[in-house]
Amino acid sequence: MIIDAHSHVHDPVEAHVGLLDEAGVDRAVLFATRPHPERAGDLASLRREMAILDEAIGGRAGTVEGYRGAWRELDAALAAWPERFIGFLSVPLDLAPEEIAATVEREVVGRGLHGIGELTPPPGGAGMIEPVLQAAADHGGLPVVVHGFAPTTADDLRTLSVLAGRYPAVPLVVSQLGGLNWMQAVELVRDTPNMYLELSTANIVFAVRLAVKEIPERTLFGSDAPYGDPVLTRAMVERVTSPGEVRDRVLGGTMAALVGLG
């Protein structure tokens, strides 16, 4: 099974399914999203969508009410294509720990979703995810995905590693190869047994090659669609691997095991 470990709801969702078909991808982990860059038809409209993205990845996504529109889009996509999408749900990080626990129980576990994410703490604020890790541990070790590209900092990656060590039953996925701090991300994930590294948005091929070589059992093919393209990102993984067990793990086997499909 080929699984794209990182994608966001598209408008229309059928366009996303078409991309998966073209890439030969069986299923995709699907995150809710407020920005929709795929809607943009010109630079001005893209700037508007990217301003929303800047708020989200800067840790300014807002309250639960602010999330609900994106959650409804996710629900609709999962209902329309249950055989293609694996639902994950982000939660607001500025809630009290007991509110985060209740949100995870109600909105993630209660709705039968497979994991939590993509979390977007503000730069320097990676410690804010600890109540989410506690909630994930309380529900049997739900996988948790955290935004890894800028504005995530090198210090944030170190904080994530420390937190992962406190919750060894929780698979903690750093997305987007850790961004420009990818070498440090590879080292931290390699040395932290319950951390995983998702490979989307890599801008140099040998970063992907090295990540797979160092942590073959904990690297995950992902596209970050619509920002990336599953055809291209799958091709990059296949370019730096040989047919066999390692490639199969990266392209879906490891993620299937994390979400209980393997």
Side-chain angles (χ1 to χ4, degrees):
M1 183 182 296
I2 308 298
I3 300 176
D4 182 342
H6 188 132
S7 70
H8 299 271
V9 175
H10 285 45
D11 180 21
V13 67
E14 290 76 16
H16 190 183
V17 175
L19 288 175
L20 298 179
D21 289 343
E22 187 179 1
V25 172
D26 299 297
R27 304 191 71 171
V29 170
L30 192 64
F31 304 128
T33 182
R34 291 190 302 136
H36 281 282
E38 74 280 7
R39 293 174 179 165
D42 54 30
L43 185 58
S45 56
L46 180 60
R47 285 189 185 278
R48 289 193 293 271
E49 297 295 340
M50 297 305 283
I52 300 171
L53 175 66
D54 286 344
E55 288 185 357
I57 63 176
R60 303 185 302 278
T63 64
V64 170
E65 288 307 313
Y67 277 65
R68 292 201 181 276
W71 289 354
R72 285 192 293 270
E73 289 183 342
L74 177 66
D75 286 343
L78 295 174
W81 297 91
E83 74 282 7
R84 301 304 297 272
F85 295 126
I86 301 165
F88 275 50
L89 197 76
S90 189
V91 298
L93 297 176
D94 55 357
L95 301 176
E98 60 272 16
E99 293 178 287
I100 287 177
T103 301
V104 169
E105 182 169 7
R106 181 180 64 252
E107 304 291 348
V108 179
V109 178
R111 295 159 66 184
L113 300 182
H114 288 83
I116 304 170
E118 178 188 12
L119 300 179
T120 54
M128 294 174 69
I129 77 161
E130 183 162 13
V132 179
L133 296 178
Q134 180 64 67
D138 291 343
H139 290 283
L142 292 169
V144 175
V145 180
V146 183
H147 182 81
F149 206 84
T152 300
T153 68
D155 283 343
D156 287 324
L157 295 176
R158 285 189 287 270
T159 298
L160 293 176
S161 177
V162 171
L163 292 175
R166 295 178 189 168
Y167 300 91
V170 176
L172 178 58
V173 181
V174 175
S175 68
Q176 297 126 342
L177 200 59
L180 298 180
N181 301 303
W182 65 268
M183 285 190 284
Q184 183 171 25
V186 170
E187 292 173 341
L188 290 169
V189 171
R190 181 195 62 197
D191 298 338
T192 311
N194 59 315
M195 288 185 78
Y196 295 74
L197 191 60
E198 183 268 311
L199 300 170
S200 66
T201 73
N203 58 5
I204 44 178
V205 174
F206 63 77
V208 177
R209 179 183 291 114
L210 183 61
V212 173
K213 180 178 180 180
E214 291 286 331
I215 38 178
E217 297 183 353
R218 289 183 284 123
T219 41
L220 306 168
F221 152 63
S223 69
D224 200 8
Y227 303 93
D229 188 307
V231 172
L232 299 179
T233 48
R234 178 177 178 178
M236 186 178 294
V237 170
E238 292 181 338
R239 180 67 173 169
V240 303
T241 60
S242 300
E245 181 181 357
V246 169
R247 177 185 287 180
D248 291 346
R249 283 180 176 272
V250 176
L251 286 179
T254 297
M255 178 52 75
L258 288 181
V259 297
L261 298 177

